[in-house]
Amino acid sequence: MAMHKESKIYVAGHTGLLGSAVLSKLLSAGYMNVITRTHAELDLTRKTLVDRFFEEEHPEYIFLCAGLTGGIMANTTYPADFLYTNIAIQNNVFGAAHRYNVKHVVFYGSSCIYPKFSPQPIKEEYLFTGLIENTSEAYAVAKIAGITACKVFNRQYKTNCYIALVPNSIYGPRDNFDANNSHVVSALLGKFHKAKSERSKEIMLWGSGNPRREFLFCEDVADASIYAILHSDELENIHYNVGSGVDYSIKELAEVIKEVVGYTGSISWDGTMPDGTPKKLLDSSRFNKLGWYPVTPLKMGLELTYSWYLQSDNISK
């Protein structure tokens, strides 16, 4: 059931970090029938609106990039929003996809679904083997529900329609650069740029800097998403980790970002702020065995992200 250039493809969340990358990849690859809706045009948490959209448009393929995401502070501050919004979107889209015979839905999990102290690198089967990080509990539960939904829809209805990918720490253009609600890469890029612009001699960063994270450029995740659909006949009814295979401490990341931004001051660390999970490196060997690998080195991805940031409306003056 191949996705053809004329197939009707819906990219949900096309203005965001991942959705914009998926949209760009599809268009550059020659897919001619890609449809989008802004949140103002279609609120995916409202079932009646979602059903009407599917009835009118009948998309054949869906990349479900829409959702509510954020860093440690956002997850801690708005857990009910993260839980409700993401589950509502998933339920509405999955249900409509089933009723209107969508051929494939790509759903995205998150590495926070795994236990806080998982053995490293983290294999898919480590899900449900321990307690997850409490600061991301609500978001993780929503993503676990979505991954489980993919598996049970496939099993109950004897289909391979629902594809669950678990990318690690996505970053890139169109990320959220708000200092309090963003993920670590965009937060650090914004903070370093602000410190450089203000000619600060020192920058204070949250936590110890010791946790290790694996980062994946948004265009690589978009490429993996399309690859998954094109190779759907080879997929098992499981979720697939998608990562770079390399992790960095937050201190190491900060040093690379410092160089990319051109900040010349010193770095200090606020140990009173939470670190989150100590290490998150995914074992992506199952997906790699299908023939896909990321191509964007961290520094190159950061340079592309910072270049976009300098031209964006989010820039810290």
Side-chain angles (χ1 to χ4, degrees):
M1 196 181 293
M3 184 169 66
H4 302 291
K5 300 299 183 184
E6 64 275 8
S7 296
K8 196 165 198 179
I9 304 167
Y10 171 43
V11 180
H14 72 285
T15 61
L17 167 63
L18 179 54
S20 62
V22 170
L23 178 61
S24 177
K25 283 281 184 183
L26 288 168
L27 296 177
S28 64
Y31 290 94
M32 301 173 289
N33 197 9
V34 183
I35 57 175
T36 60
R37 294 290 188 276
T38 63
H39 176 72
E41 294 169 328
L42 176 60
D43 182 349
L44 292 173
T45 67
R46 297 179 62 186
K47 183 178 181 299
T48 54
L49 299 182
V50 174
D51 288 345
R52 184 185 308 160
F53 167 75
F54 274 78
E55 184 176 359
E56 293 173 352
E57 296 292 345
H58 287 277
E60 298 175 78
Y61 299 90
I62 299 172
F63 294 89
L64 187 49
C65 306
L68 188 61
T69 66
I72 290 177
M73 294 304 293
N75 275 281
T76 304
T77 308
Y78 309 108
D81 293 345
F82 279 90
L83 181 70
Y84 172 80
T85 301
N86 287 299
I87 287 182
I89 290 172
Q90 294 158 197
N91 283 348
N92 292 339
V93 172
F94 280 33
H98 171 65
R99 291 190 297 277
Y100 289 92
N101 299 311
V102 170
K103 294 175 181 176
H104 284 298
V105 178
V106 178
F107 173 79
Y108 303 92
S110 165
S111 59
C112 69
I113 66 173
Y114 291 112
K116 180 174 182 177
F117 298 108
S118 282
Q120 304 287 322
I122 305 171
K123 298 179 182 291
E124 286 90 349
E125 55 264 34
Y126 295 167
L127 185 62
F128 297 123
T129 61
L131 295 176
I132 56 181
E133 164 61 38
N134 64 332
T135 59
S136 57
E137 180 183 44
Y139 181 71
V141 166
K143 288 299 180 180
I144 291 170
I147 289 169
T148 303
C150 287
K151 297 175 184 177
V152 298
F153 267 78
N154 285 339
R155 185 167 69 241
Q156 180 171 333
Y157 297 109
K158 297 178 173 56
T159 179
N160 68 344
C161 172
Y162 301 87
I163 299 171
L165 303 181
V166 179
N168 215 347
S169 299
I170 308 173
Y171 72 97
R174 294 179 179 81
D175 202 351
N176 174 14
F177 285 85
D178 180 85
N180 294 314
N181 296 324
S182 55
H183 291 106
V184 62
V185 170
S186 53
L188 291 181
L189 276 170
K191 288 179 179 179
F192 273 104
H193 178 79
K194 187 172 187 290
K196 176 187 176 182
S197 301
E198 296 176 351
R199 299 181 180 178
S200 302
K201 294 182 179 180
E202 182 182 60
I203 183 171
M204 174 75 75
L205 302 179
W206 290 346
S208 68
N210 295 323
R212 301 188 67 84
R213 295 290 183 269
E214 176 184 27
F215 303 101
L216 198 58
F217 191 52
C218 59
E219 291 184 10
D220 286 332
V221 183
D223 187 64
S225 305
I226 298 169
Y227 192 93
I229 286 184
L230 296 179
H231 294 79
S232 59
D233 289 344
E234 303 168 46
L235 300 179
E236 301 174 62
N237 189 23
I238 60 173
H239 65 277
Y240 284 87
N241 290 338
V242 181
S244 65
V246 181
D247 66 350
Y248 300 84
S249 72
I250 302 303
K251 284 183 178 178
E252 291 170 333
L253 173 67
E255 291 295 337
V256 178
I257 292 178
K258 177 182 177 180
E259 181 181 350
V260 167
V261 172
Y263 175 67
T264 56
S266 61
I267 302 172
S268 60
W269 296 88
D270 181 1
T272 65
M273 300 301 289
D275 272 339
T277 302
K279 182 178 173 72
K280 284 198 292 186
L281 176 64
L282 298 180
D283 181 339
S284 303
S285 58
R286 280 181 172 168
F287 197 68
N288 294 151
K289 286 176 182 176
L290 300 173
W292 180 88
Y293 294 89
V295 298
T296 311
L298 178 64
K299 188 175 180 183
M300 179 189 296
L302 291 172
E303 289 171 343
L304 291 168
T305 305
Y306 186 53
S307 176
W308 177 87
Y309 176 73
L310 290 176
Q311 302 171 51
S312 74
D313 294 332
N314 299 302
I315 193 165
S316 299
K317 303 296 185 183

